[in-house]
Amino acid sequence: MTRAAIGPAIFGIVGIAVLLSLGIWQLQRLQWKEGLLAEIDARIGADPGMLPEFPDQSTDNFRAVSLSGRIVGSPLRVLTSRRGLGPGFRVVSAFETDGRRVLLDRGFIAESRMALASDDATLDVVGNLHWPDEWDRFFTPKPEADLWFARDVEMMAAALGTEAVMVVSRDSDGDASFVVPWPVDSHGIPNNHLQYAATWFSLAAAWLAMTTYWVWRIGRRSA
């Protein structure tokens, strides 16, 4: 290697090392994310327990719970659509249970059937505690009366006069048949670390090819 090629070679090696380290870091993140998703799935599918006295988002998100009570008042409608069922709404109601009032995400109802949703029913519910991350303060439109465009636990709790706690129903005995439970799951949690790793490794390979060509050109010119 000529003296003129040393600088470009060092620059290329450093760049390749940085790109490879980023790819390896993404593989480590992939392993962490897969473990986290497995933990979430296990928590979702666990035997349901009682509603915690003081639910905490950091420790109780996705916790399986079982509760009995009744729907109180008119629900909030969250505009959405569901594959195979078309446009409609998530139905979020205030739910009284054991002297407490919490939010109950009862599931999906087709737009044409929204008027048939019961506002007063006694239910036995199995579901999961959830604090969905859907609201974007820059892009989500503000609610229009009972019509919402995303779920936000604190805002919905204030609107319906409940605790800032949401239970997403996966099975309820007593709700109208046209409200279809929409259970919480981990599929909406992004896990793109493998694609990111592939991108970094591809860039490292391209950087290696360009560095090799650059050094070869310098050596040929010197010769």
Side-chain angles (χ1 to χ4, degrees):
M1 180 184 298
T2 64
R3 181 175 299 178
I6 293 176
I10 293 174
F11 179 76
I13 291 170
V14 170
I16 293 166
V18 170
L19 293 170
L20 288 176
S21 66
L22 289 170
I24 292 169
W25 176 64
Q26 287 296 337
L27 290 178
Q28 294 169 342
R29 295 281 294 174
L30 173 65
Q31 186 176 17
W32 165 80
K33 180 58 75 68
E34 288 178 340
L36 177 63
L37 293 176
E39 179 183 341
I40 290 172
D41 286 334
R43 190 181 299 179
I44 290 172
D47 293 335
M50 295 180 62
L51 183 67
E53 185 175 1
F54 301 106
D56 182 84
Q57 180 177 355
S58 62
T59 56
D60 293 318
N61 203 12
F62 304 108
R63 179 190 290 272
V65 295
S66 175
L67 59 163
S68 299
R70 67 186 186 92
I71 296 168
V72 181
S74 299
L76 302 178
R77 302 172 298 150
V78 184
L79 186 64
T80 187
S81 63
R82 193 166 181 181
R83 182 176 297 178
L85 298 176
F89 308 96
R90 278 186 178 271
V91 182
V92 179
S93 300
F95 189 71
E96 285 189 349
T97 176
D98 295 330
R100 302 171 62 178
R101 183 178 288 197
V102 299
L103 296 169
L104 177 64
D105 183 336
R106 296 157 59 189
F108 176 85
I109 188 169
E111 186 176 10
S112 60
R113 295 191 170 188
M114 184 63 211
L116 303 176
S118 172
D119 294 345
D120 185 12
T122 300
L123 306 178
D124 295 317
V125 177
V126 174
N128 297 90
L129 292 172
H130 190 39
W131 286 262
D133 183 18
E134 298 175 350
W135 192 276
D136 188 304
R137 64 193 184 96
F138 296 108
F139 299 107
T140 303
K142 293 182 179 180
E144 300 175 3
D146 67 339
L147 178 62
W148 292 57
F149 301 94
R151 292 175 298 171
D152 182 280
V153 171
E154 298 230 354
M155 293 174 62
M156 288 182 157
L160 293 180
T162 72
E163 297 178 37
V165 174
M166 176 180 285
V167 176
V168 179
S169 174
R170 70 174 187 236
D171 186 26
S172 62
D173 181 14
D175 208 344
S177 60
F178 35 76
V179 178
V180 182
W182 197 341
V184 63
D185 59 35
S186 63
H187 290 113
I189 302 174
N191 183 16
N192 301 316
H193 297 294
L194 185 59
Q195 294 94 310
Y196 296 154
T199 299
W200 289 123
F201 288 139
S202 298
L203 289 173
W207 196 289
L208 173 62
M210 289 188 297
T211 300
T212 302
Y213 178 72
W214 189 11
V215 171
W216 174 78
R217 285 290 302 271
I218 293 172
R220 186 179 179 185
R221 202 177 303 128
S222 298

